[in-house]
Amino acid sequence: MDEVNRSAAFGRPTAPLNAPPVRKPLGSKWTVIVLTLSVGFLVVVIGLWQARAHRGSAKPPELPPSLAAVSNSAPSPAELSRSFREVIHTVKDAVVFINVVETVDQSDAPQNFFGLPLPKGPQQREGAGSGFVATEDGYILTNNHVIRNASKIEVTLVDGRKYKAEVIGKDPATDIAVIHINTSGLPVARLGNSDDVQQGDWVLALGSPFGLQQTITAGIISATGRELGASQYNKYIQTDAPINPGNSGGPLVNMQGEVIGINTLIYTGGQSFLGQGGNIGIGFAIASNAVRDVFDKLVRTGKVSRGYLGVQVVPLDEARAHAAGLEPGSAVFVSGVPDPNSPAGKAGIRAGDVITAFNGQKVKAPRELTDLVAATPVGSKARVEFLRDGQTQSATVELVERPEDVIAQRVNPPDDNGDNDDQPQGGQQQGRLGVYAQTVTPDMASRLKLQTQSGALVLQVAPGSAAARAGILHGDVIHKVDRTEVTSSEELAKAISELAPGQYQIEVERKGRKVYPVITLE
């Protein structure tokens, strides 16, 4: 009894010692595990059933704002077609076909393909182009090259009516012309803001390619602000909308029906059997903002007057900038002053100067100087700031009207077989530069009529040398290499030997004028 009572006192079972063993129920630990697995299984089954039931109503993941905007704004083919039709309906009636008769002089014409002589004297030939009505009372915009030599101009409207046209004014520098027909109440093409044009914008080109009137082609803006050799005043809009001969003078319009350019140039990949180049996806239009300004001046005065300075300038590249002690692209380099009676010539500006500002405005590129000078009224005075031999200088110039026949000039070097009577014999070899040079004496300087009375006279240029590649010729007198003055052949050799590999500007006097070639040393 004592043992039994002791067990009871400690909370243990009080069964007799000889009683059979009793099976205990499953412990609480295993019970929890089983219940947990059961509940988890039920949750998974229910989740799968709900996912299947609601699969059709689930929302897709949201696109980033930028991607969503692109996706939502992309028109369908049908919507794009409707947009094109609306634009065409807005502009088409203002587009005209221009037929011209030109008078050409064949007095000096050669024989034709079959070896037969061509008719002599003035002859007439026909040409064609496009244009668009700018005002209700008959003023029409087109290209200068369409009507340039025309003795007769006929304009055909969209409804087939034909009118004789007179030239109001033309501007060869931008290839823009204005003609007029005597009628009123015409549909007008509205000029837009070409500064708003961006790459990728849809555009339509309208005109009469190959004489096929009222032709419309579509494409996008490939590039803006193109500067081409065709004009130093235009910044062209490039497009892949097909433009062909006959499209010249026609409008390039945006999707609001606004004219953002005049079709004027194409690049061709070859010649067709008609002898005219075809479109290869690269066409150019004169920006409408330039057109607007020229149109106003031509209608008012019949011509466009632009200020003229009279300098030839090139970008300030690394070699020329180093010689001037400036950063590349921080100014423009005067490569020549062709006319001593030009405003620049009279003011003492000369080749080798580096122009930094015009009328207080910084100049960093040739185009910037051109635009500033052209925009300055003829007859007004302007201040030109420049560097010469490292010293800051300025000059006041009185601008004149730009001559019509001014074109970019290339100064041809003297003939290698020119007069060398004043060339002394003997000299010093400049191996790295590739010239054979001799020190200029006072007597030589007098006979050669040098502006600078010292230097190294080039007697011979090695073929394929650095000097030959830079265009240095025998008879040239080298006065400076980079920033180092050269007064003898020995100084020339020393200056060249101290230069690291790279490009350097040198100052050369050639037949009474200074030129500034750039040499590349290895």
Side-chain angles (χ1 to χ4, degrees):
M1 290 294 294
D2 292 339
E3 180 64 30
V4 172
N5 289 339
R6 197 162 41 249
S7 298
F10 288 93
R12 289 197 291 266
T14 57
L17 295 176
N18 58 352
V22 178
R23 292 185 178 273
K24 298 181 180 181
L26 187 64
S28 59
K29 176 181 178 181
W30 292 105
T31 301
V32 171
I33 293 173
V34 171
L35 289 175
T36 300
L37 292 175
S38 300
V39 171
F41 177 75
L42 288 174
V43 169
V44 171
V45 171
I46 293 172
L48 291 174
W49 178 79
Q50 288 178 337
R52 183 173 182 179
H54 296 84
R55 184 176 298 167
S57 61
K59 293 183 178 180
E62 294 186 0
L63 291 172
S66 59
L67 295 179
V70 172
S71 176
N72 294 335
S73 64
S76 67
E79 291 171 334
L80 188 60
S81 294
R82 284 194 295 272
S83 297
F84 286 161
R85 287 197 295 267
E86 291 174 1
V87 173
I88 293 167
H89 178 73
T90 301
V91 183
K92 182 178 178 181
D93 289 351
V95 180
V96 302
F97 174 67
I98 300 175
N99 188 75
V100 302
V101 175
E102 297 179 342
T103 301
V104 295
D105 188 358
Q106 296 189 157
S107 298
D108 298 324
Q111 294 178 331
N112 66 11
F113 181 79
F114 297 101
L116 300 175
L118 293 172
K120 301 297 183 180
Q123 301 293 322
Q124 290 189 333
R125 65 183 181 189
E126 291 190 3
S130 305
F132 60 94
V133 179
T135 66
E136 293 183 357
D137 55 350
Y139 286 91
I140 295 170
L141 274 161
T142 186
N143 282 142
N144 174 66
H145 75 258
V146 171
I147 55 90
R148 177 175 48 207
N149 299 317
S151 56
K152 178 182 177 182
I153 304 174
E154 184 180 70
V155 171
T156 303
L157 303 182
V158 66
D159 58 8
R161 288 182 292 167
K162 299 180 186 294
Y163 293 89
K164 291 182 179 180
E166 63 172 332
V167 176
I168 299 300
K170 48 189 177 180
D171 182 33
T174 57
D175 195 24
I176 297 173
V178 176
I179 59 177
H180 182 260
I181 58 176
N182 190 21
T183 187
S184 59
L186 295 175
V188 172
R190 183 173 74 256
L191 288 178
N193 184 0
S194 54
D195 289 344
D196 292 339
V197 173
Q198 297 184 31
Q199 282 183 307
D201 288 351
W202 277 103
V203 288
L204 301 179
L206 294 85
S208 305
F210 300 109
L212 301 173
Q213 300 180 31
Q214 294 296 319
T215 295
I216 294 99
T217 55
I220 64 168
I221 297 298
S222 304
T224 60
R226 290 288 195 209
E227 295 184 18
L228 307 175
S231 171
Q232 61 177 314
Y233 297 109
N234 287 335
K235 289 186 177 180
Y236 296 92
I237 297 172
Q238 181 182 331
T239 179
D240 68 349
I243 297 173
N244 287 287
N247 271 114
S248 291
L252 185 71
V253 302
N254 61 19
M255 296 306 288
Q256 288 73 50
E258 300 170 327
V259 177
I260 48 91
I262 295 181
N263 304 318
T264 186
L265 292 171
I266 57 174
Y267 277 173
T268 60
Q271 297 294 317
S272 71
F273 71 95
L274 294 174
Q276 296 176 311
N279 174 270
I280 59 170
I282 303 177
F284 300 95
I286 305 168
S288 60
N289 287 356
V291 173
R292 181 181 288 105
D293 179 62
V294 172
F295 174 79
D296 291 340
K297 292 177 179 177
L298 290 179
V299 171
R300 286 200 311 268
T301 67
K303 66 176 185 178
V304 178
S305 295
R306 296 182 176 89
Y308 177 64
L309 182 59
V311 294
Q312 295 173 330
V313 291
V314 297
L316 193 68
D317 57 18
E318 187 172 351
R320 293 186 171 96
H322 186 266
L326 298 174
E327 290 295 322
S330 62
V332 295
F333 183 82
V334 179
S335 59
V337 182
D339 183 2
N341 293 317
S342 66
K346 290 180 178 179
I349 298 173
R350 63 193 190 204
D353 291 342
V354 178
I355 296 178
T356 57
F358 180 84
N359 256 357
Q361 298 190 52
K362 296 293 184 183
V363 174
K364 298 181 179 180
R367 179 59 186 262
E368 292 181 2
L369 179 62
T370 298
D371 290 344
L372 288 172
V373 172
T376 304
V378 174
S380 61
K381 294 183 179 181
R383 186 166 175 262
V384 181
E385 298 175 34
F386 57 93
L387 290 177
R388 178 180 295 164
D389 298 327
Q391 301 297 316
T392 301
Q393 300 188 34
S394 66
T396 299
V397 298
E398 183 175 346
L399 299 183
V400 299
E401 185 171 350
R402 173 187 169 87
E404 291 186 3
D405 60 349
V406 169
I407 58 173
Q409 298 183 25
R410 176 181 175 182
V411 179
N412 294 321
D415 190 350
D416 280 351
N417 295 321
D419 183 9
N420 294 318
D421 291 342
D422 291 327
Q423 305 288 336
Q425 301 300 312
Q428 183 169 346
Q429 178 73 33
Q430 312 290 334
R432 195 176 178 206
L433 180 59
V435 301
Y436 195 65
Q438 185 178 32
T439 299
V440 171
T441 65
D443 181 60
M444 291 163 51
S446 176
R447 287 188 293 126
L448 293 172
K449 299 180 181 180
L450 297 180
Q451 298 179 27
T452 302
Q453 300 294 300
S454 63
L457 177 67
V458 177
L459 302 177
Q460 186 176 357
V461 180
S465 64
R469 292 193 299 270
I472 297 174
L473 306 171
H474 70 74
D476 288 347
V477 177
I478 299 175
H479 294 305
K480 186 183 292 186
V481 175
D482 196 30
R483 303 185 195 180
T484 304
E485 298 284 348
V486 171
T487 61
S488 66
S489 60
E490 290 80 11
E491 289 184 359
L492 174 61
K494 184 174 184 294
I496 293 295
S497 66
E498 293 176 349
L499 292 176
Q503 291 188 321
Y504 301 93
Q505 175 188 284
I506 65 175
E507 179 183 301
V508 170
E509 186 169 343
R510 177 181 297 161
K511 290 195 172 182
R513 67 177 185 273
K514 297 288 183 68
V515 295
Y516 296 85
V518 173
I519 59 172
T520 301
L521 298 179
E522 299 176 351

